[in-house]
Amino acid sequence: MLEGPDRVGKSTQVEQLAHLLRQRGRSVLVSREPGGDALGEAIRTMVLASHLDPWTEIFLFLAGRARHLDEVIEPALAHGELVLLDRYTPSTLVYQGAELGDEVVAELCSLPVFRTPELTIILDRELPLAELEASDRFESTGLAGWQVRRSRYLSFSHRFGWTTVSGEGSEEEVVLRLLDVLTAAGIIE
Ligand SMILES: Nc1ncnc2c1ncn2[C@@H]1O[C@H](COP(=O)(O)OP(=O)(O)OP(=O)(O)O)[C@@H](O)[C@H]1O
Ligand SMILES: Cc1cn([C@H]2C[C@H](O)[C@@H](COP(=O)(O)O)O2)c(=O)[nH]c1=O
């Protein structure tokens, strides 16, 4: 599962990885949160388009996740597919934790319904301001908000033993780093 702040290159890298792994003959499912199935995409539209109160928002994210697991992720894993996810519980910890409190959000994210991924990778890079200006949430929180989220990702990564990978350099350089990490974790050969 690939995570990190807005605009670091998550979607690009998930697609690149899927492409390379399929070339090697692996069956790969790419999905994202919020999203991944019809309910998830409806939740995505609702949450990203409006300013809901934080409790309503977190329960929508969590409901979408439970459904996404049940409808998409668990069946794919059961069929032996490699599932590459663009965002998952780390986003909830970083974004909703900042508003509702880290402990309560961590507790909700560790409910048994939410499978722990085999590998959590945080993609990290410095961003040119021009790229941030294109980001939805940046517009409401500014560069300072983005920096806070970046440091929250790094601090959770340390706390939970996730793997942080540099997203600096070309897309091709970054995907090779990610392939190395997947190989070292025994997920690919
Ligand atoms: N290694 C890279 N170096 C420079 N630019 C990159 C790199 N990887 C992706 N980009 C560009 O950065 C922008 C954001 O990429 P992408 O959509 O993959 O990021 P993201 O983390 O999924 O963003 P978001 O969280 O906002 O959905 C795109 O314009 C993409 O082409
Ligand atoms: C899963 C999840 C996501 N979010 C936020 C983080 C981003 O601002 C958007 C998703 O946009 P993207 O284009 O797919 O990066 O949703 C969140 O706040 N909480 C979550 O659990």
Side-chain angles (χ1 to χ4, degrees):
M1 182 252 303
L2 202 52
E3 267 282 5
D6 297 320
R7 314 299 289 176
V8 289
K10 300 179 295 300
S11 315
T12 306
Q13 289 304 323
V14 161
E15 290 302 335
Q16 292 255 358
L17 265 180
H19 178 68
L20 291 179
L21 294 175
R22 283 176 187 138
Q23 277 184 336
R24 294 178 178 196
R26 286 293 299 255
S27 180
V28 179
L29 176 90
V30 168
S31 198
R32 67 173 180 179
E33 289 199 2
D37 63 1
L39 180 67
E41 291 299 329
I43 288 174
R44 179 183 183 90
T45 304
M46 197 187 309
V47 168
L48 298 188
S50 40
H51 279 93
L52 302 169
D53 78 274
W55 283 109
T56 305
E57 197 174 74
I58 192 172
F59 285 117
L60 286 172
F61 281 124
L62 296 178
R65 181 163 305 143
R67 173 80 169 187
H68 188 200
L69 280 156
D70 192 43
E71 285 281 305
V72 178
I73 298 172
E74 298 292 358
L77 292 173
H79 281 97
E81 290 185 77
L82 181 64
V83 177
L84 296 179
L85 269 187
D86 180 345
R87 294 193 186 274
Y88 190 64
T89 50
S91 288
T92 320
L93 291 167
V94 166
Y95 289 79
Q96 281 65 60
E99 294 182 293
L100 298 171
D102 289 335
E103 297 318 315
V104 69
V105 171
E107 238 177 277
L108 289 169
C109 287
S110 11
L111 288 171
V113 65
F114 302 124
R115 169 191 277 272
T116 304
E118 210 174 331
L119 183 64
T120 297
I121 299 176
I122 307 301
L123 199 58
D124 181 65
R125 73 174 173 114
E126 292 286 350
L127 290 187
L129 190 57
E131 285 184 41
L132 278 176
E133 279 166 352
S135 162
D136 293 344
R137 294 216 163 190
F138 168 73
E139 285 167 13
S140 57
T141 56
L143 179 60
W146 186 88
Q147 299 283 18
V148 167
R149 289 192 289 279
R150 180 189 189 195
S151 61
R152 283 175 63 75
Y153 270 111
L154 295 177
S155 134
F156 280 122
S157 185
H158 182 68
R159 173 172 161 192
F160 293 119
W162 300 334
T163 304
T164 301
V165 170
S166 167
E168 303 288 351
S170 69
E171 291 173 15
E172 293 74 20
E173 287 169 324
V174 178
V175 81
L176 289 181
R177 263 176 232 141
L178 293 172
L179 282 173
D180 282 347
V181 169
L182 262 62
T183 307
I187 292 172
I188 58 171
E189 292 182 355

